[in-house]
Structures are given as C-alpha cells and as structure tokens.
C-alpha cells in the first residue's frame, strides 16, 4: 500500500512583530501575565495587503522547492483555515492560482486549530485510494483580523502565519502511519465567530455588538483541550503499537504553554521530545503545527525513521492526531 510521505515543508509569517509590551498599550494586561499564563512573548500580524492566501502561497512555494516538485505536478491542494480571504471561493483556489498549479483540485477545510491535521487525514485517504499522487496540505490563518483587540481574554493569544507540506504517494515504510480525527459539536459555542456567516449577516448591529470577532471561553476550552489531546495521543500510539518513549518529536498545537506542559506530563514525555515555538508566534490556529514542523525539519533535527506525533485541538470542538515515520 502507498504511504503519504512528506517530501517538503515550508512556512511563512508576517514580518510585523507584536510583542507583549506592544499589547500592554492596547488592553489592560501585562507582559508578566501573558508569559506566565500562556508562554507567549510575541506574535506576527499581517499588514495591509497581506492575506491568508499570501502566507499560504509562500509556505507552499518553499515546500515545493524543498521537495523539488513543480506546481503543475500537484494534483490536490487542501487549505485548512478559519480565516479565508473570502467566504468563497476557497482560499485553496487562490493559492492554486498564485502557484499556477493548473492540474490540482483545490478546496478548504474548516476545523479550526485541528484543521491541518484534518487536511492531512483527508489527503492521506486520497493518497491511499489512488485519488492523488502529489498533494499540498496547508494550514494558514490571519487571525488578527477576527480578534477583538478590546478583549484582553483573547487578543493576547493569537497570531498570523502559514505552514505547508508536500505529500507524495510512495512505497516503503516511511510516511503517515495513522490519522485520527474527532469532533463534538455540543461545545460549538465555546470558541466561535458569531458574525459574518448567515446566522448574523453583515449589519450595523453585528458591527456594534462586535459579533464579527472571535469569542472564546478560554477556561473551559483549556480543560477540554488537555483531556482531548491526551486521548488523541494515546489513540495514535496504541494504533501503532508504540509507547510515548518511542516518540522522537511531539508537535502539539501551540495554544498555551501550560496546555502543552500538562499533556507532556500526562504522557510522561521529556522536554527534549516536545516541540514548542509558541513564545514567538502565539496561537496561529491551523498554521501552528506545520510552522513548527517546518522549523524542526529545516534545522535538521529530524532524521529518517524518526517517529513524529502531531496532536491538535480546536473550535468545533475538534481534535486530531497524525503519526508519522519520517
Ligand atoms: O487554539 C484553540 C484552543 N484554544 C485554547 O486552547 C485556549 C485555551 N485557554 C487558555 O489558554 C487560557 O484559558 C487563557 C490563556 C485564555 C486564560 O487563562 P486562564 O488561566 O484560564 O485565565 P482565566 O480565563 O481563568 O482568567 C483569570 C483571570 C481573570 O481575572 P479574575 O476574574 O480572576 O479577576 C481574567 O479577567 O485573568 C484575567 N485575565 C487577564 N489578566 C491580564 C484574562 N486575560 C487577561 C490578560 N491580562 N490578558
């Protein structure tokens, strides 16, 4: 059976840095509170003229270059995002156009912070069924445009950026060994954007009531995130007859340092197994895992055969895992 092999990774973040000290000038918070409660020191924010498709395209170009694959060879593009350039067409179609990936089918996936792993799961099934041979999976967000910059509970957390992987169908033993995806819609209200869909279409009322912005009950989400991500990791390990100590790189969704530490502790992971970069980017939702993956791939931390576990949780609620033999 063909496996989905990651042959290239890429990432792109805005040049503009917003530090905790910058945020202190916007809302009633402190550098100390943000670092202690979240681990975040700074995040990147898009400027005028930069969109989700901008970062998605650059990340994809870098991944293609690493893989040595031309855009016309790609037959599938999946973009995971909850901050698309437009409600439609799909951001994936804009990326296809930018790349001139003329032979690809392109669509978006909305699974919030789990979106990239949902994308990997879908593409893995295309690869295994023979429906695609070379694909791009991209997680990309410009969350700074749906964050309420007057709400200190949420605005300190998020950042913008994109990460991408090129996946090829290959024989052999390396590649994606398992994907698992889960949802529980009973919790949809804990993390959502009330406005701009057809329940609360554009109106003065929607603007006045700030419904265009993301709403999160952080504390509830926190507790559910730790449990769901721990379960997702155990599920991936047991499906592959592996133990936590077999993991070379554990790459969790980068939402909060305390969430990552709690999961690491519950799984019995060493600090050396954990990949953490949220102090520099904040929570970039679907982009967080592919950005971290690209960073450790480019600094040559990973070697062939390494076991890499990706673990995500997000609005929906959704949670997911992907286990890779590199
Ligand atoms: O990516 C998708 C999933 N999202 C997440 O995983 C996010 C999960 N949640 C979290 O990361 C955390 O819940 C937060 C970082 C959002 C909040 O941390 P917390 O420890 O859960 O704080 P809290 O919401 O319980 O608030 C504690 C206090 C409150 O004050 P009172 O009511 O105790 O007086 C807040 O008003 O901290 C206050 N607070 C702040 N203070 C200074 C909340 N935000 C801030 C802030 N600066 N930015």
């Amino acid at each position: 059976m063909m496996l989905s092999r990651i042959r290239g990774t890429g990432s792109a973040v805005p040049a503009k840095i917003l530090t905790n000290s910058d945020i202190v000038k916007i809302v009633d918070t402190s550098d100390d509170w943000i670092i202690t409660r979240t681990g975040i020191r700074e995040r990147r924010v898009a400027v005028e003229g930069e969109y989700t498709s901008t970062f998605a395209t650059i990340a994809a170009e870098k991944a293609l270059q690493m893989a040595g694959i031309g855009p016309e060879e790609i037959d599938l593009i999946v973009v995971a995002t909850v901050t698309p350039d437009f409600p439609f067409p799909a951001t994936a179609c804009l990326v296809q156009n930018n790349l001139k990936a003329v032979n690809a089918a392109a669509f978006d996936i909305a699974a919030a912070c789990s979106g990239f792993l949902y994308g990997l799961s879908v593409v893995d099934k295309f690869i295994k069924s023979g429906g695609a041979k070379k694909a791009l999976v991209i997680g990309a967000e410009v969350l700074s445009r749906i964050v309420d910059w007057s709400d200190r509970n949420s605005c300190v957390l998020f950042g913008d950026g994109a990460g991408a992987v090129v996946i090829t169908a290959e024989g052999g033993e390396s590649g994606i060994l398992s994907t698992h995806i889960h949802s529980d819609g009973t919790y949809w209200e804990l993390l959502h954007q009330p406005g701009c869909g057809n329940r609360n279409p554009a109106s003065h009322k929607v603007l006045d009531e700030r419904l265009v912005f993301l709403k999160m009950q952080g504390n509830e989400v926190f507790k559910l995130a730790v449990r769901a991500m721990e379960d997702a990791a155990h599920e991936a390990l047991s499906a592959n007859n592996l133990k936590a100590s077999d993991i070379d790189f554990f790459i969790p969704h980068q939402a909060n340092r305390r969430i990552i530490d709690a999961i690491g502790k519950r799984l019995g992971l060493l600090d050396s197994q954990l990949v953490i970069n949220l102090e520099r980017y904040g929570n970039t939702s679907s982009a967080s895992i592919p950005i971290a993956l690209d960073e450790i791939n480019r600094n040559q931390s990973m070697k062939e055969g390494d076991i890499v576990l990706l673990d995500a949780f997000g609005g929906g609620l959704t949670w997911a895992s992907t286990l890779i033999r590199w």
Side-chain angles (χ1 to χ4, degrees), residues 27-30 33-34 37-38 113 152-154 156-158 191 216-223 225 253-256 258-259 283 285 313-315:
V27 287
D28 179 19
T29 187
S30 66
W33 191 96
I34 302 172
R37 307 302 288 174
T38 74
C113 305
R152 71 174 185 174
N153 291 294
S154 59
V156 303
L157 304 173
F158 297 100
L191 178 48
M216 181 170 74
Q217 294 173 43
N219 218 303
E220 290 305 308
V221 174
F222 189 107
K223 285 181 252 168
H253 169 49
Q254 311 280 312
N256 186 317
R258 289 186 294 135
I259 294 179
N283 179 349
S285 190
F313 176 87

Side-chain angles (χ1 to χ4, degrees), residues 109-166:
I109 285 186
C113 305
S114 312
F116 179 71
L117 300 197
Y118 267 63
L120 287 182
S121 184
V122 169
V123 167
D124 186 47
K125 272 133 190 106
F126 268 92
I127 295 275
K128 290 209 164 82
S129 68
K133 294 204 162 34
K134 291 177 182 161
L136 267 168
V137 184
I138 305 167
E141 307 284 1
V142 174
L143 291 156
S144 60
R145 298 210 177 113
I146 64 160
V147 158
D148 185 343
W149 289 101
S150 68
D151 174 16
R152 71 174 185 174
N153 291 294
S154 59
C155 77
V156 303
L157 304 173
F158 297 100
D160 303 336
V165 296
V166 171

Side-chain angles (χ1 to χ4, degrees), residues 25-133:
K25 294 177 196 144
I26 306 172
V27 287
D28 179 19
T29 187
S30 66
D31 182 41
D32 185 54
W33 191 96
I34 302 172
I35 291 174
T36 329
R37 307 302 288 174
T38 74
I40 299 164
R41 290 176 186 275
E42 60 187 42
R43 66 289 291 144
R44 303 299 181 101
V45 291
V47 296
E48 205 180 327
E50 292 179 330
Y51 316 109
T52 296
S53 64
T54 313
F55 304 110
T57 302
I58 300 168
E61 283 168 347
K62 289 180 178 172
L64 285 168
Q65 193 179 34
M66 184 188 283
I69 285 174
E72 68 293 339
E73 295 177 63
I74 294 292
D75 43 29
L76 183 61
I77 300 173
V78 175
V79 172
T81 187
V82 287
T83 50
D85 286 31
F86 307 110
F88 75 90
T91 300
C93 293
L94 307 178
V95 173
Q96 176 195 23
N97 183 46
N98 292 344
L99 295 174
K100 307 207 173 6
V102 291
N103 296 309
F107 60 88
D108 287 359
I109 285 186
C113 305
S114 312
F116 179 71
L117 300 197
Y118 267 63
L120 287 182
S121 184
V122 169
V123 167
D124 186 47
K125 272 133 190 106
F126 268 92
I127 295 275
K128 290 209 164 82
S129 68
K133 294 204 162 34

